[in-house]
Amino acid sequence: MNCIFCKIGRGEIPSEKVYEDEDVFIIKDIDPKAEKHYLMIPKHHYKLISDMTDDDAAALMRGLRKLPALADKLGLKNGYRLVINQGDDAGQTVFHLHVHILGGQYLDFPDLKNK
Ligand code: AMP
Ligand code: ZN
């Protein structure tokens, strides 16, 4: 399958991996949108929340629950924002579900409706 995140997971494409367990890995985003920008990527490939199995949901939640313990090491001790882009309106560009982890600074919360 020609999926960049699956290739990163298999080590076929280099990445800056900062965490890995049996469920997920976390890499630095190649084009950061905040002082700290990571991606939590489930090891199992699926595109959308609507494609998730119960096992996928449990695996992602196990991964997310590791974040509080990792926050200090990742420079996120003052807080962070999680974003999951889903589909065209959200501008999803990689079709392997992933959670953006943004922080390392105060994060404005823009009002997008008039843009
Ligand atoms: P999304 O638009 O929500 O699908 O997010 C895809 C994210 O993947 C973007 O923030 C990209 O900067 C990031 N990205 C794409 N290719 C790579 C890569 N090879 N290594 C790290 N991050 C990547
Ligand atoms: Zn994939």
Side-chain angles (χ1 to χ4, degrees):
M1 191 190 307
N2 195 26
C3 169
I4 192 166
F5 288 170
C6 285
K7 287 181 179 170
I8 288 174
R10 292 193 296 262
E12 295 167 13
I13 291 177
S15 68
E16 284 194 72
K17 214 173 265 182
V18 298
Y19 176 75
E20 180 166 16
D21 64 23
E22 62 279 16
D23 297 313
V24 300
F25 54 96
I26 300 176
I27 61 172
K28 291 188 181 177
D29 196 292
I30 204 167
D31 181 18
K33 310 296 191 299
E35 288 294 326
K36 302 289 181 188
H37 186 174
Y38 305 96
L39 302 171
M40 178 179 285
I41 303 173
K43 288 192 169 174
H44 182 227
H45 177 98
Y46 54 96
K47 176 179 173 185
L48 296 167
I49 292 170
S50 54
D51 300 324
M52 284 175 120
T53 65
D54 287 348
D55 283 350
D56 292 332
L60 184 59
M61 193 50 67
R62 281 194 297 273
L64 291 174
R65 293 181 74 189
K66 304 278 169 53
L67 277 178
L70 293 169
D72 204 357
K73 177 190 163 201
L74 298 182
L76 302 169
K77 68 176 183 326
N78 281 334
Y80 47 90
R81 179 171 297 154
L82 305 180
V83 173
I84 306 178
N85 290 323
Q86 294 283 274
D88 292 340
D89 273 2
Q92 185 177 4
T93 58
V94 178
F95 303 116
H96 177 140
L97 187 137
H98 51 281
V99 182
H100 294 263
I101 305 165
L102 300 150
Q105 62 173 91
Y106 179 76
L107 299 164
D108 194 16
F109 198 44
D111 178 353
L112 297 168
K113 66 183 177 301
N114 295 315
K115 295 238 162 73

